[in-house]
């Protein structure tokens, strides 16, 4: 049986013109206006890309720092030792450890948002693959979370870094702030994401690369956006 949407959602949907593709600023204003959550909802952008994710060179994955932050306090753990551990602590990492941190996570502790590791720690961190992998928390060189520059990695994670990756159908969804953000701050973040997605177009792609773009708040309806107004 199809899930029936609540009255607040139904009222919000009526504000969206059917089949209309909005410019970026109007779309952001509308998403803010339609939001009915009792909390400061996250706003997310979804891209439908013309990519063949069976091909390794068309599987997009990476990270970028939003100029106006995410509006979220990010808890960061770092697997490092020696000078790298000291650098991570100085940069503001919430928890820094070696085997002790691996064991703590093996025992069930997962109260963090980002995990960073130096390359020499990955043999130990690799044991956590089954735990961290499904939650998207496994350190990865493509997202800058396996690195010797832990200072930069911690700083980026604390200052608005978001990750992106294509799903099997070529969709990419990225959060770009909170409903409470000023519209211009949301626009700045959204432009940064759109410009990144366009820039990393795989060379093998033929035809229209970005087929569809929409934005929505956590519980709100989605609004279609004209890509050309975002870049």
């Amino acid at each position: 049986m199809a899930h029936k949407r609540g009255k607040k959602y139904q009222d919000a949907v009526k504000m969206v013109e059917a089949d209309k593709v909005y410019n970026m600023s109007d779309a952001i204003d509308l998403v803010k206006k339609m939001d009915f959550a009792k909390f400061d909802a996250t706003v997310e952008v979804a891209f439908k890309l013309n990519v063949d994710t069976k091909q390794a060179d068309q599987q997009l994955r990476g990270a970028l720092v939003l100029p106006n932050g995410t509006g979220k306090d990010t808890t960061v753990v770092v697997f490092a030792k020696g000078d790298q551990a000291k650098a991570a602590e100085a940069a503001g990492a919430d928890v820094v450890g070696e085997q002790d941190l691996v064991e703590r996570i093996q025992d069930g502790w997962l109260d963090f948002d980002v995990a960073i590791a130096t390359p020499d720690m990955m043999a130990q961190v690799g044991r956590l693959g089954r735990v961290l992998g499904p939650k998207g928390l496994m350190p990865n060189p493509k997202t800058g979370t396996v690195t010797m520059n832990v200072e930069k990695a911690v700083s980026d994670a604390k200052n608005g870094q978001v990750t992106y990756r294509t799903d099997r159908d070529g969709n990419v969804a990225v959060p770009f702030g909170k409903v409470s953000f000023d519209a211009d701050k949301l626009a700045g973040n959204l432009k940064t994401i759109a410009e990144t997605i366009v820039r990393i177009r795989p060379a093998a792609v033929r035809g229209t690369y970005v087929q569809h773009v929409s934005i929505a708040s956590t519980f709100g309806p989605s609004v279609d956006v004209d890509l050309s107004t975002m870049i």
Side-chain angles (χ1 to χ4, degrees):
M1 189 174 77
H3 176 66
K4 192 171 186 298
R5 300 281 192 172
K7 184 178 184 306
K8 289 180 180 177
Y9 182 91
Q10 299 291 357
D11 289 344
V13 165
K14 292 173 186 172
M15 298 185 207
V16 183
E17 289 185 41
D19 302 322
K20 178 171 179 177
V21 179
Y22 290 78
N23 67 49
M24 180 179 67
S25 60
D26 287 346
I28 289 171
D29 288 343
L30 185 54
V31 164
K32 285 170 66 66
K33 183 178 177 183
M34 290 191 299
D35 179 66
F36 56 84
K38 292 190 170 92
F39 56 92
D40 192 9
T42 295
V43 190
E44 188 173 82
V45 58
F47 298 87
K48 171 63 178 166
L49 304 179
N50 175 28
V51 293
D52 179 3
T53 55
K54 294 190 183 76
Q55 308 302 319
D57 63 344
Q58 295 186 46
Q59 295 169 10
L60 308 181
R61 184 173 187 181
L64 57 96
V65 177
L66 300 178
N68 300 307
T70 61
K72 177 182 175 185
D73 289 330
T74 303
T75 301
V76 179
V77 302
V78 179
F79 299 92
K81 51 192 173 186
D83 289 343
Q84 296 294 332
K86 290 175 186 172
E89 287 172 352
D94 297 279
V95 180
V96 181
E98 301 176 46
Q99 182 61 30
D100 57 324
L101 182 53
V102 172
E103 291 171 1
R104 186 176 174 187
I105 292 169
Q106 283 175 326
D107 289 339
W109 182 72
L110 285 168
D111 194 16
F112 55 91
D113 305 298
V114 177
I116 296 163
T118 52
D120 60 319
M121 288 297 299
M122 284 307 293
Q124 290 166 276
V125 177
R127 297 178 207 151
L128 300 172
R130 287 186 180 180
V131 179
L132 299 182
K135 295 184 178 298
L137 293 171
M138 191 68 181
N140 187 298
K142 288 185 178 179
T143 57
T145 49
V146 177
T147 176
M148 287 301 286
N149 191 351
V150 292
E151 198 169 0
K152 180 180 185 300
V154 171
S155 176
D156 285 349
K158 287 284 189 181
N159 290 292
Q161 179 170 279
V162 291
T163 59
Y164 59 84
R165 69 185 300 177
T166 42
D167 66 13
R168 65 173 63 182
D169 298 316
N171 300 303
V172 178
V174 189
F176 65 98
K178 298 286 189 180
V179 167
S180 63
F181 279 25
D182 290 342
D184 60 338
K185 288 191 174 181
L186 286 172
N189 284 348
L190 189 50
K191 280 179 68 70
T192 297
I193 296 169
E195 287 165 358
T196 298
I197 294 297
V198 169
R199 190 180 70 247
I200 61 174
R201 172 181 176 141
V205 170
R206 296 290 177 264
T208 303
Y209 168 50
V210 180
Q211 297 179 322
H212 182 255
V213 188
S214 64
I215 63 173
S217 62
T218 304
F219 292 135
S222 63
V223 178
D224 294 344
V225 189
D226 179 355
L227 178 67
S228 69
T229 66
M230 301 164 64
I231 54 177

